[in-house]
Amino acid sequence: MHRAVLSLAALLGSLLLCLCLAWLSADGSSGARGWEKELRATTAESSPRVMMMMMRSLRSPTAPLPRPPTGSLAPNRYSEDYYLQIVGKLQNCTWKKRPQEYAKFRSELTSCCDAIHNFISSQNNTPLGSNMSYEVDNKKTIHITEEIFKMLPESQPLDYPFKQCAVVGNGGILKNSNCGAEIDKSDFVFRCNLPPTEGSVSQDVGNKTNLVTVNPSIIAQKYNKLNEKKATFLENIASYGDAFLLLPAFSFRSNTATSFKVHHTLREFSAKQKAIFFYPRYLKNLAQFWRTKGVKAYRLSSGFMITSAAVELCENVKLYGFWPFSKSIAGNPISHHYYDNQLPKPGFHAMPKEYNQILQLHGRGILKLQLGKCHTE
């Protein structure tokens, strides 16, 4: 039994390496045929069931990552060990951008969601006097009064396209990564949920921030919905310079008042930062887009939303700090965030499936996922 498990582990390792090479170097049908021949040679001595299963999974570049047979190396299809094995193989591959894959996927996103025009609620896409449906509370609407209309920018406020974008997640994998300098060299830096960037962490996560998402629950819990602690809030966000604070004001009706309070507070104190709001129809369309690819969750995570938008808004996208595992490839413990170990609500996001898609985008050369420490000059 032990020998069979080791044999299967070796087989999976070879197959995943073939998968990696196929994603990164096969630009056409001839390339695909070449790696399929190599795959057949690798699996010649394996069972027909295993071979056929892996071949079906690998033939399509958009297919889900292959799953091991029931009762083998990873009985839980979303087990950490299985994903870490895949990540380990990808880490050993030389990443290369594939412009055709990037253009094709970007076109798919634009057709469904159009971040260039609809990522942010603006006066162009949110008419005065209209009744706008909420993203999640979709049976409820909000009437766009003149007061709300004036909160919105005239058009999309981001000066796209950006050449090099960094989407910085908050994963504990960023600790001791030395990625700060590399992140700060990006033309545009996205961050999520008001993470700390000052002090000793800056060496790993950088200081530059152009846009940061704000979960209203953070405003409620940490700053008492800005009914008090306004000074503390303004002091804490000062490190973001003139960044945009992006809030889901129109996702849930319960988010609206808190999001508007952030907007009014920034205006009241003439803060450098500006509050902007997700366009609910964009998020609704984006959720439907990823649902067709198997990501079925109550709601997409902020990092996944931002990553999707960045593919449309940027010529090159690199992800840092995306690591939903409790340990490293070497098996060392990793905190959930680089600044704490607070876990998300169970069942709220589909993290394994989201990460599956991110690995595929990395493998197809559409975006680059930083999987380890950054090289310092």
Side-chain angles (χ1 to χ4, degrees):
M1 182 67 178
H2 180 65
R3 185 177 300 173
V5 170
L6 290 176
S7 176
L8 180 57
L11 170 64
L12 282 171
S14 299
L15 293 177
L16 290 168
L17 184 56
C18 290
L19 169 62
C20 170
L21 294 173
W23 271 340
L24 301 183
S25 62
D27 293 319
S29 59
S30 60
R33 283 194 296 270
W35 66 260
E36 284 190 4
K37 286 181 181 177
E38 184 177 352
L39 181 62
R40 289 191 183 94
T42 304
T43 57
E45 296 182 0
S46 65
S47 72
R49 174 173 170 264
V50 173
M51 178 176 173
M52 291 304 296
M53 179 190 69
M54 299 300 287
M55 286 296 294
R56 282 197 301 269
S57 296
L58 300 181
R59 187 169 286 117
S60 170
T62 59
L65 292 172
R67 301 170 184 169
T70 302
S72 69
L73 188 64
N76 179 353
R77 70 182 66 171
Y78 297 125
S79 72
E80 282 199 344
D81 288 340
Y82 180 53
Y83 269 99
L84 288 170
Q85 187 181 52
I86 293 172
V87 172
K89 294 299 177 183
L90 285 176
Q91 195 172 29
N92 292 328
C93 296
T94 300
W95 185 87
K96 180 181 179 182
K97 183 176 179 179
R98 298 178 64 194
Q100 289 182 338
E101 286 285 337
Y102 167 77
K104 179 182 176 183
F105 184 73
R106 191 181 193 183
S107 178
E108 284 183 48
L109 273 175
T110 301
S111 296
C112 96
C113 309
D114 192 8
I116 290 173
H117 297 102
N118 292 325
F119 180 43
I120 306 300
S121 294
S122 69
Q123 294 180 1
N124 282 349
N125 60 28
T126 311
L128 176 64
S130 63
N131 292 311
M132 184 165 64
S133 297
Y134 282 90
E135 174 211 345
V136 182
D137 294 339
N138 52 31
K139 292 183 180 179
K140 300 172 183 176
T141 61
I142 181 169
H143 183 66
I144 305 303
T145 63
E146 186 171 354
E147 181 185 1
I148 295 174
F149 190 71
K150 287 180 178 179
M151 292 185 199
L152 310 179
E154 289 186 15
S155 58
Q156 295 301 294
L158 306 184
D159 189 20
Y160 66 89
F162 306 106
K163 185 171 180 62
Q164 182 67 45
C165 290
V167 182
V168 186
N170 298 329
I173 194 72
L174 277 173
K175 281 185 181 178
N176 303 314
S177 67
N178 289 317
C179 287
E182 184 176 303
I183 290 170
D184 285 345
K185 288 179 182 177
S186 305
D187 299 305
F188 199 89
V189 178
F190 299 88
R191 298 186 190 271
C192 299
N193 295 330
L194 300 180
T197 60
E198 289 189 314
S200 60
V201 299
S202 64
Q203 182 177 346
D204 297 323
V205 306
N207 294 119
K208 186 174 182 177
T209 304
N210 299 101
L211 181 150
V212 58
T213 65
V214 183
N215 191 324
S217 65
I218 296 175
I219 303 299
Q221 295 165 12
K222 193 172 180 179
Y223 303 105
N224 192 28
K225 298 184 179 180
L226 295 178
N227 294 321
E228 51 189 64
K229 298 186 179 181
K230 288 183 181 179
T232 304
F233 169 71
L234 293 167
E235 182 181 342
N236 288 348
I237 65 171
S239 61
Y240 301 132
D242 59 357
F244 291 102
L245 304 189
L246 177 56
L247 300 109
F250 308 121
S251 292
F252 300 88
R253 193 164 63 173
S254 58
N255 284 355
T256 306
T258 302
S259 298
F260 286 178
K261 195 68 175 285
V262 171
H263 171 89
H264 292 313
T265 299
L266 296 178
R267 285 289 183 89
E268 178 186 353
F269 291 89
S270 301
K272 292 181 179 180
Q273 302 79 24
K274 294 180 181 178
I276 53 178
F277 309 127
F278 277 110
Y279 186 48
R281 191 179 303 169
Y282 169 79
L283 295 182
K284 194 179 300 184
N285 291 340
L286 186 66
Q288 179 57 35
F289 172 83
W290 285 113
R291 198 171 291 120
T292 64
K293 298 182 181 298
V295 183
K296 299 174 182 178
Y298 182 67
R299 196 157 185 267
L300 299 176
S301 68
S302 298
F304 203 53
M305 293 173 184
I306 295 299
T307 297
S308 302
V311 172
E312 285 196 69
L313 299 172
C314 310
E315 295 177 15
N316 301 281
V317 179
K318 188 167 183 181
L319 272 54
Y320 302 83
F322 280 69
W323 193 261
F325 312 118
S326 63
K327 58 186 177 182
S328 68
I329 293 173
N332 299 318
I334 290 182
S335 60
H336 186 66
H337 297 135
Y338 66 82
Y339 49 86
D340 67 31
N341 198 32
Q342 184 174 346
L343 300 177
K345 293 179 181 179
F348 197 77
H349 300 310
M351 287 300 182
K353 292 183 180 180
E354 286 187 2
Y355 204 69
N356 184 329
Q357 294 296 330
I358 287 172
L359 290 176
Q360 289 186 53
L361 294 175
H362 172 94
R364 291 168 60 192
I366 294 168
L367 55 75
K368 186 174 183 181
L369 176 63
Q370 180 66 32
L371 295 169
K373 295 181 183 294
C374 292
H375 297 294
T376 55
E377 295 180 358

